[in-house]
């Protein structure tokens, strides 16, 4: 029997939704009748095509805002735009993220700063701007797309692991601050999902470790994941929709692993 999430007519922002997980989550929300503000980098014509197709396919409003997640004033403007376009903001999914793989002593400082800005600090700026809107509505959901790397580390990913652990800490703090409201804040911590971000890592890890891309998938990536398969978009969407719905109302400040058993080890 299909699950009724009761989200029709709500509105959501999904940062970094021009690709990968963000795009899939935006599509899953639109399929439930949620109006969605897309965000992310990419070719303007391709983004417009994605936007129009999503709106047409699901019969909802889909807009795009090109805020750069390293620019606080653009992030604030993105939040204000969702409110002015849709009249409300029910869900903020802080998803935009980048990766760089290198040993600490070879890690470019500008890459460190970029990863912390996009993967961690943007969630602060977006949440900061979204909270007054959600408080005025008396309800809201903030979901941070962290990672299994918000719970455990791997070598060569210092900035990413630091940012994602930071996201988990930020999630817990915000959750406590809003605990007596009908706003919740949770982190989703996926294991490996096959997206352009991971495809890039396969190439980078192969270089850093001096092994073939096939060996990286088998011996590095899926070696960490006991179920030996990539996490599926549908598995992430199931948790996101649950958290967004009233069914998820008592889940607050949680860092929820969807990682095939990786962090159980
Ligand atoms: P992806 O590369 O497919 O998508 C990243 C998105 O972020 C894109 O839309 C990109 O345009 C956007 N983005 C990058 N820099 C930006 C900036 N400065 N401003 C605005 N948008 C920007 O990656 P993905 O795998 O879909 O990752 C999405 C999120 O999931 C990230 O936070 C990532 O850390 C997390 N995650 C991914 C995996 C995985 O295995 N793919 C696992 C755990 C967590």
């Amino acid at each position: 029997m299909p699950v009724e999430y009761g989200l029709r007519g709500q509105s959501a922002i999904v940062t970094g939704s021009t690709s990968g997980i963000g795009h899939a989550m935006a599509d899953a929300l639109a399929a439930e009748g949620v109006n969605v503000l897309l965000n992310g980098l990419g070719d303007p014509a391709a983004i417009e095509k994605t936007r129009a197709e999503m709106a047409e396919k699901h019969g909802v409003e889909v807009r795009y805002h090109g805020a750069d997640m390293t620019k606080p004033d653009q992030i604030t403007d993105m939040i204000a735009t969702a409110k002015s376009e849709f009249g409300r903001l029910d869900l903020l999914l802080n998803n935009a993220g980048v990766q760089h793989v290198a040993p600490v002593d070879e890690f470019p400082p500008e890459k460190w700063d970029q990863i912390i800005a996009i993967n961690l600090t943007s969630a602060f700026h977006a949440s900061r701007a979204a909270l007054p809107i959600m408080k005025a509505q008396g309800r809201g959901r903030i979901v941070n797309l962290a990672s299994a790397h918000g719970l455990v580390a791997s070598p060569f990913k210092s900035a990413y692991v630091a940012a994602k652990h930071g996201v988990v800490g930020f999630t817990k703090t915000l959750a406590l601050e809003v605990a007596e409201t009908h706003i919740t804040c949770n982190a989703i911590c996926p294991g490996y999902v096959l997206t352009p971000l991971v495809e890039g890592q396969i190439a980078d890890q192969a270089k850093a470790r001096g092994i073939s891309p096939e060996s990286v998938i088998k011996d590095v990536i899926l070696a960490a994941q006991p179920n030996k398969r990539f996490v599926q978009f549908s598995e992430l969407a199931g948790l996101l929709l649950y958290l967004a719905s009233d069914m998820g109302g008592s889940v607050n400040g949680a860092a929820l692993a969807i990682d095939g058993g990786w962090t159980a080890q």
Side-chain angles (χ1 to χ4, degrees), residues 9-35:
Q10 292 195 359
S11 84
I13 297 175
V14 183
T15 70
S17 45
T18 53
S19 172
I21 295 171
H23 176 263
M25 297 308 102
D27 194 68
L29 288 162
E32 292 299 319
V34 176
N35 298 318

Side-chain angles (χ1 to χ4, degrees), residues 160-211:
Y160 187 87
V161 169
K164 295 298 187 181
H165 276 67
V167 165
V168 169
F170 175 65
T171 300
K172 291 177 182 175
T173 308
L174 178 44
L176 293 175
E177 292 181 16
V178 296
E180 290 188 40
T181 70
H182 295 285
I183 301 169
T184 64
C185 181
N186 292 286
I188 297 179
C189 300
Y192 284 101
V193 190
L194 194 55
T195 67
L197 181 139
V198 169
E199 284 160 8
Q201 278 181 62
I202 292 169
D204 290 348
Q205 286 269 12
K207 202 170 144 208
R209 292 170 187 263
I211 57 177

